[in-house]
Amino acid sequence: MTDQDRTRWDERYRERPAPSMESVGPPPAFAHFEDVFPTEGHALDLACGPGVTSVWLARRGLDVWGVDVSTIAIDQARELAARSDVGDRCRFEVVDLDAGLPAGPPTDVIVCQRFRDRRLDQAIIDRLAPGGLLAISWLSAVGAEPGRFRAAPGELTASFATLETIAADERQGEAWMLARKT
């Protein structure tokens, strides 16, 4: 990622209010599937932003590693985790995912919300532990204008076809998928 991109994301997070305790929860696409998420193990939250999902996972009992390119978002995530009394279950780092996934052991849950880099697809699959859960959403051209950052119809499920799909949908400009590594 270029310094210009990092600066742009820092500005976006700086302009938004820090997340409140009430904002902590699963990504909206997965709100009806909370019971599918484990209550122990390790999670990796890619492009975690201000940590709302990471903190939710930590409250469920997982140890969470959240990564994002924005230093502002990471600072907000650390603060939210501390206020939520799960700072000991959360680790947040500034990571440029353009360089690939950071090295680490297999993980029980990977969450990736509205961040898309086709080069990471196989690395995400490989990083999941057997039985691991992937919760991923992308911007989609379905129900929206095609664009540089929007997936083509069916692209998300095709990219992760080796996983067992639990649920998936595409509409109103978003594609999402909940899947398990068998």
Side-chain angles (χ1 to χ4, degrees):
M1 180 165 284
T2 66
D3 287 336
Q4 182 180 10
D5 287 334
R6 183 181 324 270
T7 300
R8 180 175 52 90
W9 282 107
D10 277 345
E11 286 303 314
R12 279 192 184 180
Y13 286 112
R14 188 176 286 116
E15 292 171 1
R16 297 177 186 170
S20 67
M21 301 287 279
E22 293 77 31
S23 66
V24 171
F30 306 110
H32 296 294
F33 300 96
E34 285 187 51
D35 60 323
V36 175
F37 286 81
T39 56
E40 62 183 12
H42 297 276
L44 177 60
D45 190 357
L46 302 174
C48 69
V52 171
T53 300
S54 295
V55 168
W56 173 72
L57 290 167
R59 283 182 175 175
R60 288 184 64 78
L62 286 100
D63 293 316
V64 184
W65 183 16
V67 299
D68 198 282
V69 72
S70 169
T71 57
I72 303 298
I74 292 299
D75 288 345
Q76 290 176 351
R78 288 177 180 144
E79 182 181 316
L80 181 63
R83 283 186 295 154
S84 299
D85 295 324
V86 292
D88 61 328
R89 299 192 78 93
C90 294
R91 179 178 90 177
F92 294 102
E93 289 184 50
V94 175
V95 172
D96 183 353
L97 292 170
D98 282 353
L101 287 186
T107 188
D108 303 297
V109 177
I110 296 178
V111 175
C112 184
Q113 183 173 231
R114 295 206 170 172
F115 174 79
R116 177 171 165 250
D117 186 335
R118 289 179 187 100
R119 299 171 298 174
L120 298 179
D121 293 354
Q122 190 58 52
I124 289 170
I125 293 167
D126 293 344
R127 186 52 128 345
L128 281 171
L133 182 70
L134 174 65
I136 188 165
S137 69
W138 289 345
L139 294 177
S140 171
V142 175
E145 292 295 318
R148 178 175 157 210
F149 297 107
R150 295 199 180 270
E155 184 178 343
L156 177 62
T157 53
S159 294
F160 296 96
T162 60
L163 301 178
E164 178 186 331
T165 301
I166 296 168
D169 199 3
E170 261 183 302
R171 65 176 115 170
Q172 299 174 336
E174 183 178 27
W176 60 268
M177 179 180 196
L178 194 59
R180 190 169 306 283
K181 186 172 186 177
T182 54

